Amino acid sequence: MDGRTALVTGGGQNGRLPGVGYATAVVLAGHGARVAVLDRDPAAAQVTVERIEKAGGVAHAVVADVTDDAQCGRAVAEVVRRFGALDALMNNVAVGDRAGLFDVGPDRWDELLSVNLKSAWQVTRHAVPVLPAGAAIVNVSSVGVSARGPGMVYNVAKAGLENLTVGAAATLGGQGVRVNTVQVGAIWGAFAERNMSEEMREPRRRGIGLGTEGTSWDIAHAALFLLSDRARWISGHTLTVEGGPPRRFPPGPPITEVAR
């Protein structure tokens, strides 16, 4: 990422555990990117900036509410003024709860769709005119989108985000801009800590294929790959980072011989 400028939305840090945006900003900076850390909380954005600068990286805090289209436009313009370019964008802002599809009212429905879907479209819309050939965008979704079970508005929004990824990849391919999704599995980070109890962690961990929880750093390294030239011929895809297919059956006895 040397010589590139990256914008990470929701990149601030204000909790005990690192969030995906914070981890991604730190990882991108560690690989040479100049990182614009966008957050609506100035103090949270500054925490990330200070972490990057302390390690010798280059970062700048951008304060904006990505649900406001005008602020999205101003944020992108600020990044270009500060660093002279924008080469990588990670749409990471999200909010959610465990309320069912019909347990929320119209206001909450609109809020969840605005934060989890419309915000990514707005930031991307303003970024498109300044993104050069070779630029890349990563949207952040969730494995819950494809899981069977009770529906949540959050999942509806993230399903829309994955569809946006495919449409944007087809639309921007001629411009030389790649667009992909990182689908987040059962990680233990700031978002999970706000929406789950500690008691839920162990049964969830046992259901993961590898038997271990992921972290925000696992997602950050997946985003690094997709935003870099290592993924130069990958666009319109979803990279699922989930620790392997879910365990559905208890393990059997070890295989000692092969029948022929």
Side-chain angles (χ1 to χ4, degrees):
M1 299 297 291
D2 282 346
R4 295 191 177 188
T5 297
L7 170 60
V8 179
T9 73
Q13 177 66 19
N14 58 11
R16 184 176 63 89
L17 296 175
V20 168
Y22 168 84
T24 302
V26 170
V27 167
L28 291 174
H31 283 79
R34 301 179 297 258
V35 181
V37 180
L38 188 154
D39 205 286
R40 64 180 180 179
D41 181 347
Q46 194 59 36
V47 168
T48 308
V49 169
E50 290 176 0
R51 161 72 185 267
I52 291 171
E53 291 180 339
K54 186 176 181 180
V58 178
H60 173 65
V62 178
V63 179
D65 180 349
V66 292
T67 64
D68 183 298
D69 185 65
Q71 292 189 44
C72 291
R74 288 195 294 270
V76 170
E78 180 178 342
V79 175
V80 175
R81 281 197 308 272
R82 177 78 179 198
F83 293 121
L86 177 58
D87 309 286
L89 168 63
M90 182 166 177
N91 289 307
N92 167 70
V93 170
V95 66
D97 54 37
R98 303 185 69 81
L101 274 176
F102 306 109
D103 297 329
V104 300
D107 289 345
R108 182 59 171 166
W109 170 277
D110 289 345
E111 179 186 7
L112 290 168
L113 267 292
S114 178
V115 174
N116 294 298
L117 174 58
K118 186 179 178 182
S119 67
W121 170 75
Q122 288 182 159
V123 177
T124 302
R125 185 173 75 89
H126 289 287
V128 165
V130 300
L131 291 173
I137 300 168
V138 166
N139 296 320
V140 180
S141 185
S142 168
V143 295
V145 169
S146 56
R148 292 184 177 271
M152 295 184 292
V153 183
Y154 174 82
N155 288 354
V156 172
K158 289 300 188 181
L161 183 63
E162 292 184 14
N163 195 283
L164 174 66
T165 293
V166 175
T171 302
L172 301 177
Q175 186 176 321
V177 175
R178 298 180 297 103
V179 189
N180 292 288
T181 296
V182 172
Q183 204 179 60
V184 179
I187 68 171
W188 188 249
F191 190 85
E193 187 181 41
R194 288 194 298 269
N195 291 280
M196 295 178 61
S197 66
E198 281 281 350
E199 291 72 24
M200 299 172 70
R201 291 183 66 183
E202 180 57 21
R204 188 180 72 151
R205 181 196 65 76
R206 290 199 302 268
I208 298 171
L210 292 176
T212 58
E213 286 180 314
T215 72
S216 296
W217 302 102
D218 296 307
I219 308 305
H221 283 96
L224 168 66
F225 166 65
L226 290 174
L227 290 171
S228 76
D229 277 346
R230 301 287 185 178
R232 58 173 291 275
W233 217 48
I234 300 173
S235 190
H237 286 276
T238 295
L239 175 58
T240 301
V241 186
E242 64 171 354
R247 295 182 180 184
R248 301 191 182 277
F249 304 100
I255 297 174
T256 57
E257 60 179 279
V258 178
R260 300 184 188 277

